[in-house]
Amino acid sequence: MSAATEYCDREIAKCKDMIRNWPHEAPCLKRLIKGWQRTKQQLQPPIEHDARKQNEYRKVA
C-alpha cells in the first residue's frame, strides 16, 4: 500500500469520526468521503500499470 493510499484512508477515517461528533454536518462530510475514495481509486491504476511495465522489462532482460 502506498503512502498516498494510506493518507486517503486516514482522511476517510477522520471524516467518519467527524460524522459521529457532528451528525448535522453528515451531508458535507459524506461528499468529502466520496472525494477521498475517488482519489484513492485513481491512485490504483498507475501502481498496477507500473507493475505490468516491470514484468515486461523482466521478460525482455
Side-chain angles (χ1 to χ4, degrees):
M1 187 180 280
S2 72
T5 303
E6 290 177 17
Y7 182 78
C8 290
D9 287 338
R10 281 195 304 270
E11 292 301 312
I12 291 167
K14 285 182 193 176
C15 289
K16 288 180 179 180
D17 189 46
M18 284 191 270
I19 289 174
R20 279 186 236 112
N21 295 328
W22 297 290
H24 62 282
E25 297 292 346
C28 177
L29 292 166
K30 286 180 180 178
R31 283 194 301 272
L32 282 172
I33 290 170
K34 284 183 183 177
W36 283 114
Q37 289 171 335
R38 228 178 286 120
T39 301
K40 182 180 171 183
Q41 188 177 19
Q42 288 173 353
L43 291 170
Q44 297 303 321
I47 295 168
E48 293 170 6
H49 185 263
D50 289 344
R52 274 189 247 129
K53 269 189 175 178
Q54 287 177 352
N55 286 339
E56 288 174 13
Y57 291 139
R58 287 181 189 150
K59 290 177 185 175
V60 172

